[in-house]
Amino acid sequence: MWDVPERSENPLLQIRDAVWRPIPASLRLLAALGVIVNTGIIVTGGAVRLTKSGLGCPTWPQCSGDSLIPTSHNTHAALNQAIEFGNRLLTYVVLAVGVLVFVAALRLRPRRRDVLRLAVVQPLSVVAQAIMGGITVLTKLNPAAVSAHFLLSIALVAATVWLYVRTIEGDETPRPLVRGELIWLGRGLIGVVAVLLLIGTIVTGTGPHAGDDKAPRYGFNIEQVAQLHADVVWLTVGLTVALLLGLRLTGAPARAQRWALALLLVELAQGAIGYIQYWTNVPPVLVGAHMLGAALVWIAVLRVVFALRDRGPVPAGPAPAEPSPTSQGSPVTA
């Protein structure tokens, strides 16, 4: 039996305990925070592009010239520099959260090896993201580099979602909760959404929001790639409807049905935003909303598939130690 000291009522010490003396619930909260910040930086990265601030810091790892922070130069306004530099600073926030998640997973007792493996992905992937961001800047926002940067973010979001799910389930061998063909349909749906996101980056790399007026573009016809994107959207919606109907008709667990319904609703909202932005000449605000929607669709489809199986209850954490008689009634100090 693992014992831990009595947990403090001081908010600052509670934050420390969540990382250094974690329990399953505190690790779950940190994992959720990892999902949020990695989704958020996708949106802020989009804001950099949509405000034409992609080269606000024209060098890497410096911002401009030999300076790590923005300095006055004639190619970009101070606001563009601040937006790009601010997004770079947010990378450190994401890295900090990743390190906290890893430390908590390392300190968790009893230790869960696959949870620890997923946790270590977060800080390492942020480093990879920073390097990919540097390549994007040094290639003057080449659309292939921009696409790779976004897709790497999507892969990292998948890792954070996987980690979060592992913090709310046990370590037993996965037991399917639905018929085998529905599991395969769900897995296929993940593949289709991944293709949808890939094509979305091609549409973005062909469209008007390059991040800088001088950035190169893909040489595709925008109407053709947008139509291909729309076709895959409808395929995604059709498969989601089929999965939802299959789950309902076979009496699948309510949780799986709820996530499938949530996925369908997010897809419909995302599709509506996509059509409206196309008809209104892709205003930046709607493009930003569409990027957030893409991340939410990705998260929802992953949650659907994870909801199709069960791995038992979460392993019990360490029991709090009984407070000593001398400590009872004593004030809590920081």
Side-chain angles (χ1 to χ4, degrees):
M1 174 69 68
W2 295 91
D3 290 331
V4 296
E6 182 183 9
R7 304 183 78 81
S8 173
E9 295 181 2
N10 185 305
L12 294 178
L13 295 182
Q14 287 179 349
I15 295 174
R16 180 206 65 186
D17 290 344
V19 177
W20 198 247
R21 297 188 301 200
I23 59 176
S26 61
L27 179 59
R28 185 181 312 133
L29 289 175
L30 287 170
L33 183 60
V35 176
I36 293 171
V37 297
N38 281 281
T39 301
I41 203 166
I42 290 177
V43 179
T44 60
V48 171
R49 181 170 54 83
L50 295 170
T51 57
K52 298 184 179 181
S53 304
L55 294 177
C57 288
T59 61
W60 188 89
Q62 297 83 6
C63 179
S64 56
D66 295 327
S67 175
L68 291 173
I69 62 175
T71 57
S72 178
H73 59 87
N74 297 327
T75 57
H76 288 84
L79 178 61
N80 296 123
Q81 296 179 53
I83 292 173
E84 163 63 4
F85 184 69
N87 190 64
R88 291 191 182 189
L89 291 180
L90 285 176
T91 301
Y92 293 100
V93 176
V94 179
L95 178 60
V97 172
V99 171
L100 294 178
V101 170
F102 169 68
V103 173
L106 183 65
R107 298 280 301 175
L108 183 69
R109 296 294 184 273
R111 180 172 293 171
R112 303 176 64 188
R113 293 184 180 277
D114 58 339
V115 169
L116 182 58
R117 284 194 291 266
L118 287 169
V120 76
V121 168
Q122 292 195 34
L124 294 180
S125 295
V126 174
V127 174
Q129 274 286 58
I131 295 173
M132 192 66 239
I135 294 173
T136 302
V137 170
L138 295 177
T139 58
K140 306 302 180 184
L141 306 184
N142 184 287
V146 175
S147 297
H149 197 30
F150 172 78
L151 294 174
L152 185 56
S153 292
I154 286 296
L156 183 51
V157 168
T160 62
V161 171
W162 191 357
L163 174 62
Y164 175 78
V165 171
R166 293 296 293 117
T167 66
I168 62 175
E169 64 183 6
D171 297 326
E172 299 175 5
T173 301
R175 177 176 63 88
L177 299 175
V178 300
R179 294 170 56 168
E181 54 266 34
L182 293 177
I183 291 178
W184 282 108
L185 178 57
R187 292 172 179 172
L189 191 54
I190 288 180
V192 172
V193 172
V195 172
L196 178 63
L197 294 173
L198 173 61
I199 297 175
T201 67
I202 296 175
V203 175
T204 297
T206 307
H209 299 295
D212 188 86
D213 290 334
K214 298 180 180 180
R217 302 274 75 200
Y218 288 128
F220 302 115
N221 181 291
I222 184 62
E223 293 185 356
Q224 292 177 349
V225 292
Q227 183 60 57
L228 177 62
H229 185 61
D231 292 341
V232 181
V233 167
W234 284 112
L235 174 61
T236 303
V237 171
L239 291 175
T240 303
V241 171
L243 178 60
L244 179 58
L245 289 176
L247 294 173
R248 289 188 177 275
L249 292 175
T250 58
R255 183 167 63 97
Q257 295 188 42
R258 286 195 300 268
W259 273 112
L261 178 60
L263 172 61
L264 178 60
L265 294 177
V266 173
E267 288 171 352
L268 293 177
Q270 176 75 335
I273 293 173
Y275 276 109
I276 293 172
Q277 72 173 4
Y278 183 76
W279 293 329
T280 56
N281 198 28
V282 286
V285 172
L286 288 182
V287 177
H290 202 53
M291 292 189 67
L292 174 60
L296 295 179
V297 168
W298 183 235
I299 292 171
V301 72
L302 293 171
R303 289 304 308 270
V304 168
V305 174
F306 283 125
L308 302 181
R309 47 83 164 139
D310 177 67
R311 299 196 66 172
V314 179
E322 293 293 334
S324 64
T326 58
S327 66
Q328 293 181 359
S330 61
V332 175
T333 58

